[in-house]
Amino acid sequence: MPEAAVEAALQVLRHGRLHRYNLAEGETGEVALLEREFADFTGARFALAVTSGGYGLATALRAHGTQPGDPVLTNAFTLAPVPGAIASMGAKPVFVETTETLTLDLDHLAEQAEASGASILMLSHMRGHQPDMEAVMALAEKYGLTVIEDCAHTMGGSWDGVTSGRHGASACFSAQTYKHINSGEGGFLITDDPEVAARAVLLSGSYMLYDRHGAAPDREVFEPLRDVTPNVSGRMDHLRAAILRPQLADLPAQVARWDALHAAMEEGLGNLGRLKLIARDPKLVRVGSSFQFRLPEHAPGEIAEFVARCAARGVELKWFGADRAAGFTSTYRNWAYAEPPVLPQTDRVMAGLLDMRLPLTFSTADCALIARIIASEV
Ligand SMILES: *Cc1c(COP(=O)(O)O)cnc(C)c1O
């Protein structure tokens, strides 16, 4: 937490106005300022700060008109809040297979779009990996899909020079502790669509005080929507916004640090026959806040032993091939409420997939040491 964030938090605590609409005469407020800065950072016309990334995703679905029972296409490889947001609408996640580069399988996307008749693709850039975005958008066009991007792991990243989250109609970000800026819990929704933005603001619980927003549409846009949009409270407060603003300003520098850590891991593990790094399209500017590799030839028992041996040497790896969901690590098979079909390609990729965080408290020398330990245990 930068010192500027601690200072900003103390100022909010001292004046005590924590609710985003509680403003002194002439005051803009931390939340509205953060929204303005987040819109500028991403290049979006509109930005809304909310309570979590998952809340942002559910709100985006609602704002785009998702109804109970609707099929919503999404990645089979993602985090639990993504299918959870879809299920919270009473809608049905339709999972799409995963490639060896941990991105959406576009052939399967076309098949599933055709078979399901879905009108929304909730595209999750899980662990910062992105599919060929031009190809995704061409398919979206062909099948009439509105794309909502889940950018929880790509805040600060881009594809072919386009900021992550700017291909789809809307995009959501998380400011939860394990993401790229940290307010404990928090999130954002961005869009260029004035009606979607106005609906999202009303949904987030604006109490008709939408003129106190930093990057929301003009008053007229709200008029036809204000009495037909329910309040589903999920506002951000000034304390969180105050600690996020200095972190957002620092993000480009942090992305460079993450990239160096990620590069140190790749350098240490690049030439091991049975350990496969995840190939990256040169168009992708990643945020290397986590590191994945695959052991496609290892049997499950071997991987479990390998994970235990690394743990004994202080290297904590997460494995997506385990039977039970543990902590943050789960697979589509663990989301039984969505009645997922068997996805053999995703199963094959997950069976050998290992994952670790690269917190900024690590140095590149730490990463080189961790890579040596993994290399010797593999
Ligand atoms: C963290 C995360 C989210 C949103 O998470 P919240 O905990 O609700 O902020 C969404 N998608 C992915 C892939 C995530 O990792």
Side-chain angles (χ1 to χ4, degrees):
M1 195 62 58
E3 203 46 45
V6 176
E7 270 310 311
L10 288 175
Q11 277 188 29
V12 171
L13 289 172
R14 288 199 177 103
H15 65 56
R17 294 184 296 279
L18 267 67
H19 193 283
R20 67 165 297 162
Y21 301 130
N22 187 1
L23 301 170
E25 187 71 33
E27 186 185 26
T28 306
E30 295 288 336
V31 181
L33 288 168
L34 175 65
E35 286 170 338
R36 186 64 260 153
E37 288 161 5
F38 199 77
D40 292 343
F41 177 78
T42 56
R45 281 182 77 191
F46 308 113
L48 172 68
V50 293
T51 46
S52 73
Y55 178 89
L57 292 169
T59 303
L61 285 171
R62 255 202 186 102
H64 280 284
T66 302
Q67 297 295 321
D70 285 357
V72 175
L73 295 157
T74 195
N75 307 53
F77 175 53
T78 184
L79 198 77
V82 177
I86 298 168
S88 79
M89 293 295 100
K92 187 170 167 34
V94 177
F95 295 110
V96 177
E97 286 273 27
T98 315
T99 67
E100 292 185 348
T101 57
L102 307 184
T103 58
L104 207 63
D105 182 310
L106 299 188
D107 294 332
H108 195 234
L109 172 63
E111 270 173 44
Q112 292 287 68
E114 186 104 49
S116 68
S119 62
I120 299 222
L121 166 62
M122 182 160 272
L123 175 61
S124 180
H125 302 308
M126 178 70 166
R127 295 296 188 265
H129 304 281
Q130 290 193 41
D132 179 332
M133 289 305 294
E134 287 86 26
V136 169
M137 295 317 291
L139 278 178
E141 173 90 33
K142 178 171 175 193
Y143 292 101
L145 299 170
T146 298
V147 178
I148 299 172
E149 292 183 79
D150 166 26
C151 301
H153 297 168
T154 53
M155 187 194 287
S158 62
W159 174 269
D160 202 17
V162 178
T163 302
S164 187
R166 299 293 291 136
H167 287 91
S170 293
C172 301
F173 299 78
S174 173
Q176 188 234 81
T177 291
Y178 299 104
K179 310 301 160 84
H180 300 164
I181 54 177
N182 167 21
S183 56
E185 305 285 358
F188 298 93
L189 189 164
I190 61 167
T191 184
D192 284 351
D193 182 325
E195 269 194 33
V196 168
R199 268 191 227 111
V201 167
L202 292 165
L203 286 164
S204 75
S206 64
Y207 298 115
M208 304 305 157
L209 299 170
Y210 36 78
D211 52 353
R212 298 187 191 176
H213 277 250
D218 294 335
R219 284 197 78 83
E220 313 82 78
V221 184
F222 288 87
E223 273 311 313
L225 302 171
R226 48 181 274 156
D227 292 339
V228 294
T229 308
N231 174 325
V232 189
S233 285
R235 295 165 303 275
M236 184 174 279
D237 57 83
H238 290 317
L239 187 55
R240 280 168 206 200
I243 67 175
L244 287 175
R245 291 181 62 215
Q247 294 182 66
L248 184 62
D250 280 350
L251 185 56
Q254 308 291 53
V255 170
R257 289 176 63 201
W258 265 310
D259 195 50
L261 299 182
H262 201 280
M265 293 295 299
E266 284 190 330
E267 196 180 308
L269 294 172
N271 290 312
L272 301 173
R274 295 173 77 202
L275 183 151
K276 306 285 181 211
L277 300 180
I278 311 299
R280 176 169 54 101
D281 193 300
K283 288 179 178 173
L284 175 68
V285 172
R286 77 184 156 212
V287 182
S289 55
S290 68
F291 183 80
Q292 293 75 45
F293 59 92
R294 297 191 306 116
L295 299 175
E297 293 159 23
H298 286 60
E302 275 184 293
I303 297 185
E305 272 175 38
F306 160 75
V307 169
R309 284 199 311 271
C310 287
R313 295 179 67 178
V315 173
E316 219 186 292
L317 296 170
K318 304 283 187 264
W319 178 33
F320 281 93
D323 293 335
R324 276 175 68 78
F328 291 91
T329 307
S330 63
T331 75
Y332 78 95
R333 283 179 172 276
N334 305 119
W335 307 326
Y337 62 83
E339 298 169 341
V342 171
L343 297 169
Q345 189 180 312
T346 298
D347 286 347
R348 207 158 48 240
V349 173
M350 294 300 110
L353 181 61
L354 292 127
D355 179 37
M356 65 178 292
R357 287 201 178 98
L358 296 177
L360 290 172
T361 47
F362 287 6
S363 65
T364 49
D366 293 333
C367 288
L369 171 61
I370 290 166
R372 283 200 298 281
I373 291 171
I374 291 173
S376 75
E377 293 302 341
V378 89

